[in-house]
Amino acid sequence: MHPTSRGFSRRDALKLAGAAGVAGLVTAYPGRISFAATDQTLDLAIERTRITIDGHTSRGIAIGGSIPAPTLRWREGQEVVIHVTNRLNEPTSIHWHGLLLQGVMDGAPGFNGFAPIHPGETYTYHFKLRQAGTYWYHSHSAGQEQEGMYGAIVIEPAERDPVRADQDYVMLLSDHTTESPDAVLRKLKVSEGYYNNNKRTLVDFFRDAQRDGLGATVTDRLDWAEMRMDATDLADVTGYQFLVNGKGPRDNWTALYKPGERVRLRIINGSAMTIFDVRIPGLAMTVVAADGQNVAPVKVDEFRMGVGETYDVVVIPQGDKPFTVFAEPIDRTGFARATLAVRDGLEGAIPERRPRAVLTMADMGMAHGGMAHGGMDHGAMAGMDHGAMAGMNHGAMPGMDHSSMAGMDHGSMPGMNNPGGMGSKDQATGWADAGTPPGAKALSYADLKSLTKAKDLREPAHEIEVRLTGMMSRYIWTLNGRKFDEGDPIRVAYGDRVRIRFVNETMMAHPMHLHGMFMELENGQKDRLPRKHVVLVPPGKTMSVQLTADEPGEWPFHCHLLYHMASGMMTRFIVERRTASL
Ligand SMILES: [Cu+2]
């Protein structure tokens, strides 16, 4: 049934879509928009389409007629009604990433009574906007997000915006492949090295460790680089094109400014699998928001962003020379670029490509100092069943399948159980070295400080450990060693203050996403911990967050790498109202 038959006019939808910049995604819109504080209704159809990137056309799925989907511009406090019509021949869904809302409106099939939207059906989402900031929306079904089902959400604050800007642009980063997501996942499952041109294994390392003893093996002279592990260990799917607002590097998406204007860039990592390092050579960026939440301004030259994260930055370009916004995936297999310019048609220089980021022993929490201090029980490590690890390949320390690690004192592995959560100041950017030049400042998670004081300052009453686990050799990614719905859900009582400790036992970074509530990252900022909906947990590291379980329901809690989630790296985070027993 067409939604208009239910009393919603197409014209209204188009009007809103116009305001949202459906046709104007690639053009500038005025920085100061007056928002009517009226309710908003819109129709979004989901259908197969074609997308042209750098002159080449391929297939995709559009929400609301475009890839990316139209930017939804709303205002805090509004009630929004969105009719989503499925014109595919498969079930679909839309999840409102980062929004606080009632569970059934969250749009994750199988959670909170939300069922997939079947072909031909229209589902009506309805929620009140309880927050402001930069967010995004995407499919939570199959691999549809990879196929183009993603768009930006910009919610203007009800009160005065603490961030002043003359221009305001969304830059939605994504990765595009001409292969179907099913094909990608199939190949990953058949052979974990499919996308890896330079196969190498950890087996050599453990063989050396067995022969020479781990102490001799783990030294400065032998780091992962010398093990010839390379960039491909950082990302398990390659062959992507990297896009800004659906445009390839040659398309050169351009944002206009007048010299001296304050330009706000709302940068969203809407990719399926790609962690980006972002910089604008010659232009300092002031980070003003992370995951939609205002932070104390911090001036940086570059930052790394996990899948699902957003950063708002303000830049003040001077002169009429164009600036290149450059986003390199950490495996350096390509780049996304856009241009800030005083008029269309200008191009900034493409900066020299950075060398591929390489994991170091420090990334695995096995840094120099750690060994010297005898942090690790060598004997226990030597007692590890190396045979059991023979089938293991790089990429996932999955070896760290706990059964075979029985002899190892996990807690003694430096960095892997770090009570502070943030062992070193540079932890968030110090892994898989970004290649930041001397004197340049890369954003660290430790820099993020909420602009406002936390509302709930109770010490967490409960601590939940979530181990990030996997077996790369079979392309199974898990939480606490269990695939989705094979393990127990996490249950917390409504109103409780809890700590979640992420222990990454794999050799990949995992952007962990909790629906329904913000996590407050324990990064040392006391009563101003930054509120995050995605926390990028580096390989071999531990990070912890606190939260107040004040959103009842059954929330998805998963790695935001699409194929990790698809292969099992997800659980249920259940906030339940408990009645006292007699
Ligand atoms: Cu993951």
Side-chain angles (χ1 to χ4, degrees), residues 477 508-512 559-561 564-565 569:
W477 295 97
M508 292 191 76
H510 300 281
M512 294 301 300
C559 174
H560 216 292
L561 298 179
H564 289 195
M565 179 176 78
M569 201 162 190

Side-chain angles (χ1 to χ4, degrees), residues 223-235:
D223 63 12
W224 295 115
E226 287 179 88
M227 292 165 64
R228 297 175 307 126
M229 290 186 64
D230 77 350
T232 48
D233 298 298
L234 296 169

